[in-house]
């Protein structure tokens, strides 16, 4: 019991000592002032009260720490780009936070504080932070040299980058439009299916007609049409005159070669397989017959922007049997002539000829009055062999 009461008594005694302990003396710190001197300053000197705070440890070790009151030196950049140095005192309230300088947008400044001894801010020399968004900025490979003292914020740089991007894109768009316009005008000056007359007649001597060329090819024994180089030469020298028909595979034009009328079937680019199949059928050995449309040449022409597939044949101005029967009155003899010639041509297609270079049987598979042409002499010839097939044993 006595021990407990003595302990309680010692604690009460410590509390009384703490409550009756004398307040620490206030110390005044002298600082050099410049551009920030209070009214009571003398000889560019200001004073600030330093408040000391004692911790529990300090009471027993006689140590004290300063918490407020500083001398400061601050350097900042003015509007003209010059450096302004200010010195002075910071009071008790909030000085600790003021010494922790917070960056201010659009302004360069730096502050240093001290509290070790009087006039300690004489030896403080703060430096300005490095330049930002100045000097040479590179935006979209365009160098922008900023004038000294000019401020360019991040928003201004983005605005300039957007402006440059829009300008470059607009210029490119205008150039593309101009290029497309002149390309279109150049193509428009050409006929859609025109083939320029070529002066090169290496493979066809002057004065030769189509009939002469075909007879020469038949007498050579091949029986498969004109040589390839001759066909290509004829195709280059064809001049289109007018369009006379249009079908599912392309268009049919009347053209001229050395004054002779020819029919030119121009296939759509997507129908290359049909063009190849029909050309192959026409060039079959021993295919030529008076009641089969006379084949002249075939060629592929490239004009840069599109590919043209040509099939050149004899021209018959009476047109198809379908149109001929609608516009012409026939007697019995003329009707029999049309029928006999059509059957003769079909029979030749179906007939298989055995020889060293024989002809296979061919099925038309699309025979109708629109695919039969009427010659000037009143006979018929079978045309449009795009769906025909050969019978191969």
């Amino acid at each position: 019991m006595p021990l407990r009461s003595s302990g309680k008594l010692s604690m009460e005694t410590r509390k009384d000592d703490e409550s009756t302990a004398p307040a620490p003396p206030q110390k005044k710190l002298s600082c050099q002032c410049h551009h920030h001197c209070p009214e009571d300053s003398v000889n560019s000197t200001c004073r600030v009260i330093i408040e000391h705070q004692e911790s529990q440890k300090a009471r027993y070790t006689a140590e004290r720490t300063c918490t407020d009151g500083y001398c400061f030196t601050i350097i900042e950049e003015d509007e003209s780009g010059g450096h302004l140095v200010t010195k002075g005192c910071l009071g008790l309230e909030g000085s600790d936070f003021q010494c922790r300088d917070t960056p201010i947008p659009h302004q360069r400044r730096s502050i240093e504080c001290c509290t070790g001894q009087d006039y300690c801010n004489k030896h403080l020399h703060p430096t300005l932070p490095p330049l930002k968004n100045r000097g040479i900025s590179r935006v979209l490979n365009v160098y922008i040299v900023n004038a000294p003292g000019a401020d360019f914020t991040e928003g201004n740089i983005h605005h300039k980058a957007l402006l440059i991007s829009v300008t470059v894109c607009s210029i490119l768009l205008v150039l593309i439009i101009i290029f497309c316009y002149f390309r279109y005008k150049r193509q428009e000056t050409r006929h859609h299916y025109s083939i320029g007359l070529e002066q090169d007649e290496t493979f066809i001597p002057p004065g030769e007609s189509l009939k002469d060329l075909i007879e020469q090819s038949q007498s050579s024994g091949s029986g498969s049409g004109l040589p390839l180089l001759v066909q290509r030469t004829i195709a280059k020298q064809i001049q289109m005159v007018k369009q006379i028909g249009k079908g599912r595979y392309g268009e049919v034009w009347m053209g001229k070669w050395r004054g002779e009328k020819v029919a030119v079937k121009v296939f759509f680019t997507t129908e290359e397989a049909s063009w190849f199949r029909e050309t192959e059928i026409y060039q079959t050995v021993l295919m030529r017959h008076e009641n089969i449309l006379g084949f002249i040449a075939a060629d592929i022409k490239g004009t840069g922007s599109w590919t043209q597939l040509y099939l050149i044949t004899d021209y018959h101005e009476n047109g198809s049997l379908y149109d001929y029967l609608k516009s012409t009155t026939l007697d019995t003899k003329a009707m029999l002539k049309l029928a006999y010639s059509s059957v003769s041509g079909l029979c030749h297609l179906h007939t298989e000829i055995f020889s060293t270079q024989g002809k296979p049987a061919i099925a038309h598979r699309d025979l109708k009055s629109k695919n039969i042409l009427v010659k000037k002499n009143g006979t018929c010839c079978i045309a449009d062999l795009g769906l025909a097939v050969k019978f191969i044993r």
Side-chain angles (χ1 to χ4, degrees):
M1 293 295 292
L3 292 173
R4 291 181 183 177
S5 60
S6 61
K8 187 183 300 184
L9 191 61
S10 63
M11 291 179 64
E12 291 176 356
T13 303
R14 183 177 297 177
K15 289 181 180 179
D16 293 338
D17 293 341
E18 290 178 0
S19 61
T20 59
Q26 291 183 336
K27 179 183 176 183
K28 290 187 178 181
L29 178 67
S30 297
C31 307
Q32 184 184 21
C33 65
H34 180 65
H35 291 156
H36 194 273
C37 297
E39 294 181 356
D40 58 348
S41 62
V42 179
N43 296 328
S44 300
T45 300
C46 61
R47 289 181 174 82
V48 61
I49 297 175
I50 302 177
E51 180 183 352
H52 293 271
Q53 181 180 5
E54 293 183 344
S55 62
Q56 185 175 0
K57 176 182 177 182
R59 293 190 184 95
Y60 294 98
T61 60
E63 292 180 357
R64 294 177 179 177
T65 57
C66 296
T67 59
D68 279 322
Y70 294 93
C71 297
F72 75 89
T73 299
I74 183 170
I75 183 171
E76 55 188 342
E77 188 178 43
D78 58 16
E79 295 180 355
S80 62
H83 296 169
L84 178 64
V85 178
T86 305
K87 298 184 179 183
C89 306
L90 291 177
L92 296 177
E93 298 296 330
S95 59
D96 187 37
F97 294 99
Q98 294 180 47
C99 285
R100 301 173 188 174
D101 190 28
T102 303
I104 300 176
H106 319 301
Q107 184 179 6
R108 296 173 62 210
R109 56 174 285 178
S110 178
I111 184 171
E112 291 185 5
C113 299
C114 64
T115 187
Q117 60 183 359
D118 291 340
Y119 304 107
C120 60
N121 60 342
K122 282 185 177 181
H123 310 292
L124 298 180
H125 303 286
T127 57
L128 290 174
L131 293 171
K132 292 183 179 179
N133 297 331
R134 290 198 176 186
I136 299 177
S137 302
R138 188 175 182 181
V139 181
L140 293 179
N141 295 328
V142 178
Y143 286 92
I144 304 173
V145 181
N146 303 332
D151 292 323
F152 285 91
T153 62
E154 187 176 357
N156 289 335
I157 292 179
H158 290 169
H159 179 73
K160 290 180 179 296
L162 179 62
L163 182 62
I164 293 173
S165 301
V166 171
T167 303
V168 172
C169 292
S170 301
I171 293 174
L172 290 177
L173 182 61
V174 170
L175 292 177
I176 292 174
I177 293 175
I178 293 175
F179 172 79
C180 293
Y181 173 78
F182 281 106
R183 184 179 179 86
Y184 170 77
K185 295 298 290 184
R186 186 180 65 178
Q187 295 294 340
E188 194 177 32
T189 56
R190 302 179 182 179
H191 200 284
H192 188 64
Y193 289 123
S194 63
I195 307 177
L197 292 174
E198 299 288 340
Q199 300 299 323
D200 185 10
E201 300 183 359
T202 305
F203 304 103
I204 305 177
E208 293 281 352
S209 64
L210 290 174
K211 184 178 180 181
D212 297 335
L213 295 174
I214 292 173
E215 288 179 352
Q216 291 176 12
S217 67
Q218 288 180 326
S219 61
S220 65
S222 65
S224 59
L226 298 173
L228 180 60
L229 292 178
V230 175
Q231 292 186 33
R232 298 198 66 178
T233 303
I234 292 175
K236 289 180 180 180
Q237 297 175 351
I238 292 291
Q239 184 179 15
M240 298 297 191
V241 178
K242 64 178 180 179
Q243 181 179 337
I244 57 177
K246 187 173 184 179
R248 56 184 172 179
Y249 293 127
E251 300 173 350
V252 180
W253 287 71
M254 185 193 79
K256 285 188 176 182
W257 182 79
R258 294 184 178 180
E260 298 184 55
K261 293 182 180 179
V262 293
V264 182
K265 188 174 182 180
V266 184
F267 286 77
F268 297 133
T269 308
T270 55
E271 299 296 336
E272 184 176 357
S274 179
W275 170 86
F276 180 81
R277 183 168 53 249
E278 189 166 0
T279 301
E280 184 183 25
I281 294 293
Y282 273 121
Q283 295 190 104
T284 303
V285 176
L286 301 177
M287 181 65 181
R288 186 166 291 276
H289 187 272
E290 61 179 351
N291 299 121
I292 302 292
L293 180 61
F295 171 76
I296 299 174
D299 193 19
I300 300 178
K301 299 285 291 182
T303 61
S305 57
W306 61 76
T307 302
Q308 299 171 334
L309 310 173
Y310 296 102
L311 183 66
I312 304 169
T313 62
D314 293 337
Y315 173 74
H316 301 291
E317 58 186 19
N318 288 330
S320 67
L321 179 61
Y322 175 84
D323 297 328
Y324 185 75
L325 292 177
K326 289 197 303 181
S327 59
T328 307
T329 302
L330 303 174
D331 54 17
T332 304
K333 183 178 180 181
M335 292 177 59
L336 290 175
K337 190 175 183 180
L338 291 173
Y340 178 77
S341 57
S342 300
V343 171
S344 298
L346 187 61
C347 180
H348 179 72
L349 276 179
H350 292 174
T351 301
E352 182 177 6
I353 302 175
F354 297 95
S355 65
T356 304
Q357 292 182 332
K359 168 190 166 299
I362 299 174
H364 190 284
R365 299 203 306 169
D366 192 25
L367 189 63
K368 55 187 177 183
S369 59
K370 289 185 178 181
N371 292 337
I372 299 175
L373 302 180
V374 179
K375 295 183 176 182
K376 190 178 295 186
N377 60 5
T379 60
C380 292
C381 62
I382 297 176
D384 290 332
L385 301 177
L387 295 178
V389 293
K390 297 178 181 179
F391 176 72
I392 306 297
R393 293 182 179 275

